[in-house]
Amino acid sequence: MSKLLRTPLYNWHLAHGGRLVNFAGWSMPLEYSSIIEEHKATRQACGLTDVSHMGRLRFEGPGARAFLDRTLTRRVDDLQLGQLRYSLVTNDQGGILDDVVVGCFPGELGDPVFLVVVNAANRQKILEWVRLRLPDDGEIVVSDLTTIWAMFALQGPRSGEVLRSLVDFEIQKLRRFRGAVVPLRHPARNGCRAIISRTGYTGEDGFEIIVPHGIALAVWEAIMESGEGFGIKPVGLGARDTLRLEAALPLYGQELSAEVNPIEAGLEFACDLEARDFPGAQRIREVMAAGSSRKLVCLASCGRRIARNGHVIVYGNKVVGTITSGTWSPTLERPIAMGYVERPFAAVGTLLEIEVRGHREPAEVVPRPFYRGAHPHIA
């Protein structure tokens, strides 16, 4: 078995009670105190999560913009400096290989560079997929910066207040899905710069912060110190999952896979199909025109048992779908789940049942998402 990768915060996590687990080949904290406590801190104040395991791929050169525009499902040809977009990588059949965020930032020489953040488990797959399609003219340089940069997610309604004292930038003016290369103040490490974007995976307002590996610990500790008066908590991957599920945000390997078409996942907005071609575009158009045979829905349980990935969804004696994710919602104080159901059973208000450990739990199809913060959770 290969040795697990470690983020620059590995020793900090250990020293502060982080329960480390193997996640996509990385040693990552699942929780520090409790998932529910960390979840509520993020909803009510702010939480800081180490997400350095996420892949960070940099594309530069005169051909980078055009290459990404014909590779991703969202337009890149009109992406402005400081703008980010949620997008997908699809195969020739329209199946989802990964969901990503692509951003455009000024490079060291003034030319735009593009940063694509991919899921940790898909980093090598996407790198190989990209490199197979790169032209031979040398006009595109792709760099994997995952192990030399660190990435944090500061999420929650007070996250802007926490960051304000640490950056030489009017952070409150940064709109959703916008980012900037920002100078840091002491004690975050005076003179250094960070890439900060108003993005996240929790349904709350918040920021994602990318810094060089060598200053990661200093920046992390400065954020924690700045947040002491605002109720900040370190947050593990357990609460990150319950937060994203309340916001009905899909997770690759559960809601998304190479067998899932964006239309059935409710990701039509992430496919710019007009006058564009990318892998699987024609198949996605066909599914959009005909309608998908199944849809991803939100289910609120009327019982107490928690549905999990793989549990079946039934209507009477008919199996009509499968659960992809389920959890106890600390905000709603009831079990919630997401899953794919046949289209006739996907309407809001439909009453279904979920088979959970030999019992049938009644559940209702409810509007997506379960929880909506003060800001849109995807753009």
Side-chain angles (χ1 to χ4, degrees):
M1 181 177 177
S2 59
K3 187 176 180 180
L4 294 180
L5 295 170
R6 297 177 177 181
T7 81
L9 279 302
Y10 175 81
N11 289 326
W12 192 96
H13 299 320
L14 284 178
H16 291 80
R19 182 160 71 89
L20 301 181
V21 298
N22 179 354
F23 186 85
W26 291 77
S27 183
M28 299 297 296
L30 181 69
E31 61 182 335
Y32 300 88
S33 52
S34 78
I35 290 174
I36 290 178
E37 182 179 327
E38 294 163 23
H39 180 113
K40 289 184 175 180
T42 305
R43 288 277 181 253
Q44 297 164 7
C46 55
L48 183 63
T49 303
D50 182 6
V51 292
S52 301
H53 63 304
M54 300 288 287
R56 289 168 297 283
L57 310 180
R58 174 172 160 146
F59 294 75
E60 56 192 314
R65 182 186 291 273
F67 175 77
L68 288 171
D69 192 70
R70 63 178 182 266
T71 299
L72 302 179
T73 60
R74 295 290 292 277
R75 301 196 79 95
V76 179
D77 60 357
D78 63 347
L79 206 60
Q80 302 299 307
L81 287 176
Q83 187 176 10
L84 300 94
R85 282 183 181 147
Y86 176 82
S87 186
L88 306 171
V89 182
T90 48
N91 60 26
D92 292 334
Q93 294 73 46
I96 299 172
L97 298 176
D98 201 10
D99 63 334
V100 306
V101 172
V102 55
C104 180
F105 297 96
E108 291 81 357
L109 301 178
D111 293 331
V113 299
F114 298 88
L115 182 65
V116 179
V117 178
V118 305
N119 283 289
N122 291 332
R123 176 167 63 102
Q124 289 301 327
K125 177 182 73 176
I126 296 301
L127 261 175
E128 293 169 9
W129 191 89
V130 162
R131 286 171 175 161
L132 284 172
R133 287 158 177 78
L134 285 176
D136 297 328
D137 55 17
E139 291 199 340
I140 306 169
V141 177
V142 180
S143 307
D144 182 3
L145 303 177
T146 306
T147 58
I148 61 175
W149 287 0
M151 183 172 175
F152 315 139
L154 178 65
Q155 301 285 293
R158 308 204 71 176
S159 54
E161 297 170 271
V162 173
L163 268 189
R164 192 173 299 150
S165 65
L166 301 178
V167 297
D168 282 321
F169 184 80
E170 293 184 82
I171 203 72
Q172 68 275 12
K173 292 187 177 180
L174 201 63
R175 294 183 293 139
R176 281 290 284 176
F177 275 78
R178 296 295 187 275
V181 180
V182 176
L184 299 174
R185 293 177 182 155
H186 182 78
R189 192 53 71 93
N190 199 34
C192 294
R193 295 157 76 85
I195 298 174
I196 297 180
S197 60
R198 202 160 197 161
T199 50
Y201 192 52
T202 62
E204 293 294 341
D205 187 18
F207 303 85
E208 292 178 311
I209 303 148
I210 296 175
V211 295
H213 189 289
I215 66 169
L217 178 59
V219 174
W220 175 277
E221 289 180 332
I223 296 171
M224 289 298 299
E225 182 179 347
S226 176
E228 285 180 359
F230 300 105
I232 195 170
K233 294 276 188 186
V235 173
L237 297 185
R240 181 171 164 85
D241 191 56
T242 57
L243 290 159
R244 73 94 191 167
L245 187 47
E246 285 187 348
L249 297 173
L251 176 63
Y252 198 89
Q254 293 189 236
E255 283 72 42
L256 307 180
S257 74
E259 286 69 50
V260 171
N261 186 284
I263 307 307
E264 60 191 1
L267 297 177
E268 296 93 334
F269 75 93
C271 298
D272 294 329
L273 293 165
E274 186 174 350
R276 291 186 71 238
D277 190 31
F278 55 83
Q282 184 55 36
R283 178 57 185 154
I284 295 170
R285 290 188 186 96
E286 291 169 359
V287 174
M288 182 177 287
S292 59
S293 61
R294 60 176 186 167
K295 287 185 65 177
L296 183 64
V297 299
C298 288
L299 293 161
S301 176
C302 305
R304 305 292 291 180
R305 295 181 179 88
I306 298 172
R308 300 296 187 190
N309 179 277
H311 288 171
V312 299
I313 305 166
V314 297
Y315 182 84
N317 293 321
K318 177 182 172 63
V319 174
V320 298
T322 306
I323 296 295
T324 53
S325 296
T327 192
W328 173 264
S329 166
T331 303
L332 305 178
E333 297 186 334
R334 65 188 299 186
I336 60 173
M338 293 176 72
Y340 286 96
V341 299
E342 296 175 16
R343 190 165 55 175
F345 303 94
V348 170
T350 303
L351 299 178
L352 301 169
E353 293 179 300
I354 307 169
E355 292 191 354
V356 182
R357 298 186 300 276
H359 298 270
R360 284 196 173 190
E361 290 293 319
E364 180 182 356
V365 178
V366 296
R368 183 176 176 182
F370 298 99
Y371 169 87
R372 190 183 295 276
H375 294 262
H377 58 278
I378 258 186

